[in-house]
Amino acid sequence: MTTDSPMPSPPFPSPDNAVLRLIVGNAIKAVHSGEVSVEDAILHAAVHSWYEGHIQGEDECPGCDFRGDLPKGTKRG
């Protein structure tokens, strides 16, 4: 998978993330085998991909907050 547009910061995994490829591949196989519906496969892949992106973000920048200038763990609003 390649893209010309920049990717957002985690919790979105990079397109070349091996676990992301595995998650998407397993979702496709599950749909093709009739094991799950397309909707269930998308939901499963989205949730697990988000989590993989979160892990990738923590690995790349422990303690960083990718959603603004407040330090991680700071209450908002």
Side-chain angles (χ1 to χ4, degrees), residues 4-43:
D4 293 335
S5 61
M7 293 300 292
S9 297
F12 308 99
S14 64
D16 61 348
N17 182 290
V19 177
L20 176 61
R21 291 182 186 273
L22 180 66
I23 292 167
V24 171
N26 286 342
I28 292 168
K29 287 179 195 173
V31 170
H32 287 171
S33 72
E35 184 180 340
V36 298
S37 69
V38 171
E39 291 85 0
D40 287 339
I42 290 169
L43 179 60

